[in-house]
Amino acid sequence: MTRRYLSRSRGSFRPSAAGKGLCGAFVLLLALLLGPVWPNAALAQGEAPIRMRIVGGLADVSQYLRYEEPFWRERIAQATNGRIVAEIAPFDRSGIRGQEMLSLMRLGVVSFGTALLAVVSTEEPEFNAIDLPAVNPDIAALRRSVAAFRGHLGETLRERYDVELLGVYVYPAQVVFCRRPFSRLADLAGRRVRTSSVGQSEMFTALGATPVVIPFAEIVSAIRSGVVECAVTGTLSGNDIGLHEVTTHVHGMAITWGLSIFRANLGTWHALPTWARDTIRSEVAKLEADIWDAADRETGEGLACNAGQPSCQNGRRGTMVIVPVTEADEQRRRQLLTDSVLPGWVRRCGADCVDAWNKTLAPVLGIRARPE
């Protein structure tokens, strides 16, 4: 399976400490398994198309199944009249740890790939700035944040990892499900809440709740057994796993979203002819727009399905109560961001991150980061 997904190494690279830590034998084995891709040689012969190997996002979710996979398997070939042909597989089924994606791309072992920001931010916490908990309560806010931070993100990826940013994708909103009624965020104090990141845990600790990090696949059993009373997860993915059957109330405010980035190794990218780079960039921009529209739509549909509303089309109808976002919730969100989430991120990230936040996101959000 693995050999289909990755592409050739660059001729040279500049490894960081993380890159140097990768086992040389592991890299060599991957390169031997994957085989080379020589786009320029294929074009020079005038006989074969450019062949690309893509590492995609998470398997079995809408973003990959409905958008990424059809785009690379079909749409890119159609857009280029067969001059570009691509193969793709999700990273979580390709033998790659998500935490290693940036290092593998810098080394050239992966030439084109999607990486979850929340995962790679364990190595680069700066990248998680645009999707910290409480930053983007709705998709309009998320669009503004990404637009403000995108240039800095692309520049940082080029400088530190020798990769070119081509797309920013988004999953539907992650919200709070609870098995007992609540009417505002403040009511979650004293409850045990499933979280999936350090930032989420810090936010709910500040709310007076007890965060418990639990894998996605174990959420429903944790609710049933009473390990947790509430859980943060996607509106539609929560419906998919049956959360609407074990919880009664769901909040309408997004806690986080789940951003991912699609990028290319610079050596491989510049080896492509100009027409190919221009086509890939423009087509990926269309793919990105489709994914964002779908995330917006699926966020609303997930809520509708959990509540059993007629607009539910792709989920199972429940009987949950959608808790509306109040003015008090909005005020509390900003307080949590200012007093807990942002300072916690600064402690993990450092002075450079303070500068990056204040130059890019502070003008949009009206909240400045302060050095520790």
Side-chain angles (χ1 to χ4, degrees):
M1 291 291 289
T2 305
R3 66 182 301 163
R4 297 175 52 207
Y5 310 155
L6 308 180
S7 191
R8 68 181 177 90
S9 314
R10 293 177 56 196
S12 61
F13 56 84
R14 178 170 43 85
S16 67
K20 292 176 182 177
L22 289 171
C23 174
F26 170 71
V27 173
L28 177 60
L29 176 61
L30 279 177
L32 291 173
L33 287 173
L34 299 174
V37 172
W38 302 108
N40 285 350
L43 284 179
Q45 296 172 7
E47 298 175 354
I50 296 174
R51 297 190 177 275
M52 299 173 59
R53 296 185 178 99
I54 313 296
V55 177
L58 289 168
D60 299 328
V61 298
S62 176
Q63 182 182 116
Y64 180 81
L65 295 174
R66 298 184 185 178
Y67 298 96
E68 280 191 278
E69 186 175 35
F71 174 86
W72 290 110
R73 292 196 184 279
E74 301 168 11
R75 185 164 142 187
I76 197 68
Q78 295 169 355
T80 61
N81 294 318
R83 299 175 75 191
I84 297 177
V85 177
E87 297 178 354
I88 182 172
F91 82 85
D92 51 339
R93 291 186 180 173
S94 61
I96 295 175
R97 296 179 66 246
Q99 297 89 335
E100 296 174 343
M101 278 291 289
L102 287 178
S103 295
L104 290 173
M105 290 204 71
R106 175 175 49 213
L107 293 168
V109 176
V110 177
S111 291
F112 298 90
T114 303
L116 300 175
L117 280 186
V119 176
V120 299
S121 66
T122 58
E123 181 176 353
E124 286 286 356
E126 183 172 343
F127 292 164
N128 209 30
I130 42 178
D131 197 24
L132 289 171
V135 169
N136 304 297
D138 53 50
I139 200 163
L142 181 65
R143 289 183 186 274
R144 291 192 294 270
S145 296
V146 170
F149 197 75
R150 186 171 190 141
H152 175 75
L153 178 62
E155 180 181 345
T156 305
L157 285 167
R158 280 191 297 272
E159 291 180 352
R160 298 180 190 173
Y161 291 94
D162 291 336
V163 299
E164 182 74 11
L165 177 65
L166 299 176
V168 179
Y169 306 153
V170 61
Y171 290 102
Q174 296 187 342
V175 299
V176 183
F177 293 75
C178 284
R179 64 186 301 174
R180 290 191 290 117
F182 68 101
S183 60
R184 55 181 182 167
L185 288 175
D187 294 341
L188 301 179
R191 303 194 190 189
R192 296 182 304 279
V193 181
R194 179 267 178 177
T195 58
S196 60
S197 69
V198 173
Q200 286 183 5
S201 296
E202 289 173 342
M203 173 180 169
F204 283 95
T205 297
L207 266 173
T210 301
V212 183
V213 178
I214 294 173
F216 175 76
E218 300 175 15
I219 293 176
V220 172
S221 62
I223 292 281
R224 288 188 190 276
S225 64
V227 173
V228 293
E229 304 167 73
C230 305
V232 179
T233 194
T235 61
L236 198 55
S237 59
N239 181 268
D240 288 340
I241 62 174
L243 264 182
H244 61 290
E245 298 173 353
V246 296
T247 58
T248 62
H249 288 63
V250 58
H251 200 265
M253 177 184 288
I255 303 301
T256 54
W257 291 83
L259 292 172
S260 56
I261 51 176
F262 179 71
R263 39 304 159 257
N265 170 272
L266 275 178
T268 305
W269 180 245
H270 289 307
L272 292 170
T274 301
W275 70 265
R277 293 198 303 270
D278 291 345
T279 301
I280 292 169
R281 192 180 290 279
S282 64
E283 292 298 318
V284 168
K286 297 175 186 176
L287 171 64
E288 178 180 323
D290 290 343
I291 288 174
W292 278 75
D293 289 344
D296 188 11
R297 183 171 60 252
E298 291 176 8
T299 294
E301 184 169 22
L303 292 173
C305 289
N306 290 316
Q309 297 175 358
S311 57
C312 174
Q313 298 294 324
N314 296 306
R316 294 175 290 172
R317 295 188 183 185
T319 58
M320 297 190 71
V321 174
I322 300 175
V323 179
V325 180
T326 65
E327 180 61 31
D329 283 337
E330 175 59 21
Q331 292 176 3
R332 191 63 186 275
R333 177 190 70 81
R334 289 183 65 88
Q335 179 190 19
L336 290 166
L337 175 58
T338 303
D339 298 346
S340 302
V341 175
L342 191 54
W345 175 72
V346 168
R347 285 193 295 272
R348 295 189 299 274
C349 204
D352 289 345
C353 295
V354 173
D355 292 340
W357 176 280
N358 289 336
K359 289 177 182 177
T360 59
L361 293 171
V364 174
L365 301 173
I367 298 174
R368 291 185 61 82
R370 297 186 298 270
E372 286 292 302

